[in-house]
Amino acid sequence: ILYVFGAFLLFTGIKMCFGHDEDADLSQNKIVKLTKKFFKTTDEYHKEHFFVIENGIRYATPLFIVLVLITISDIIFAVDSVPAVFSITSDPFIVMTSNVFAILGLRAMYFLLADMAERFHLLQYGLAIILIFIGIKMLVMYFDYHFPIAISLSVILGTLVGSIVLSLIIPPKDKKA
């Protein structure tokens, strides 16, 4: 399973490197489409309600769709954190507790990274490089090669610091004009 996770991280990192910065059209999101397939939905928000009844029929509101999207993103982040821990250690206690703490802090971490990504425009590429590195690290375990922890942490820290420093030195493309 570690190889599947490693391949997933490698794929995700490569996709992040070559991804575009355009805003996503949420109406085309697969999760939104699937939710709308199973629930009749309204186009208007109804205060803080997830469901409303109109003409005797129960409809999900857009707020319910937002809740589904947030929950799915939490699950994806939780799944994504599993291979990251396995790339450091295989001790079951550390793996379990780190993932519990990861799940507890994921939403806050996401908003922190989202804010950081706006401030440091090259951070996305640094995070992609880290994902690629961890994916490769997990895939080479097949050949009984293990990166020392000091090297792994140095690459991760160096990549994060490097992408932040380069973001401060190199102006974003839209600010050059």
Side-chain angles (χ1 to χ4, degrees):
I1 193 81
L2 290 179
Y3 306 122
V4 172
F5 280 140
F8 174 71
L9 288 179
L10 187 63
F11 171 76
T12 304
I14 291 170
K15 189 174 176 184
M16 277 181 69
C17 273
F18 299 107
H20 46 80
D21 292 333
E22 298 173 12
D23 289 334
D25 180 13
L26 289 180
S27 66
Q28 299 303 315
N29 184 293
K30 292 177 184 177
I31 296 168
V32 172
K33 286 182 178 182
L34 187 65
T35 304
K36 287 185 175 187
K37 183 177 179 180
F38 286 102
F39 296 95
K40 294 179 181 180
T41 60
T42 65
D43 291 332
E44 303 93 30
Y45 287 93
H46 295 271
K47 298 182 184 175
E48 70 278 352
H49 299 286
F50 294 119
F51 294 95
V52 294
I53 297 176
E54 293 178 358
N55 299 327
I57 300 172
R58 182 180 304 261
Y59 290 93
T61 66
L63 189 60
F64 177 74
I65 295 173
V66 170
L67 177 68
V68 170
L69 285 171
I70 289 172
T71 304
I72 296 295
S73 67
D74 280 350
I75 292 169
I76 291 169
F77 280 131
V79 168
D80 203 26
S81 69
V82 172
V85 174
F86 274 121
S87 71
I88 304 287
T89 183
S90 58
D91 182 335
F93 177 74
I94 294 174
V95 170
M96 185 190 75
T97 54
S98 67
N99 280 301
V100 167
F101 286 118
I103 290 169
L104 291 174
L106 281 175
R107 195 167 295 136
M109 179 65 92
Y110 171 78
F111 288 113
L112 173 70
L113 285 176
D115 184 50
M116 296 291 274
E118 288 180 12
R119 294 178 188 201
F120 305 111
H121 63 281
L122 297 176
L123 185 62
Q124 171 186 348
Y125 299 105
L127 294 174
I129 290 168
I130 291 170
L131 288 177
I132 291 169
F133 171 72
I134 292 174
I136 289 171
K137 183 179 172 188
M138 293 176 76
L139 291 173
V140 299
M141 289 172 69
Y142 175 77
F143 301 106
D144 288 331
Y145 181 78
H146 299 279
F147 286 90
I149 293 175
I151 290 177
S152 296
L153 293 176
S154 298
V155 168
I156 292 168
L157 183 63
T159 304
L160 281 175
V161 170
S163 64
I164 289 171
V165 169
L166 286 173
S167 292
L168 295 172
I169 295 170
I170 302 169
K173 289 181 182 177
D174 59 342
K175 290 188 177 182
K176 285 182 181 177

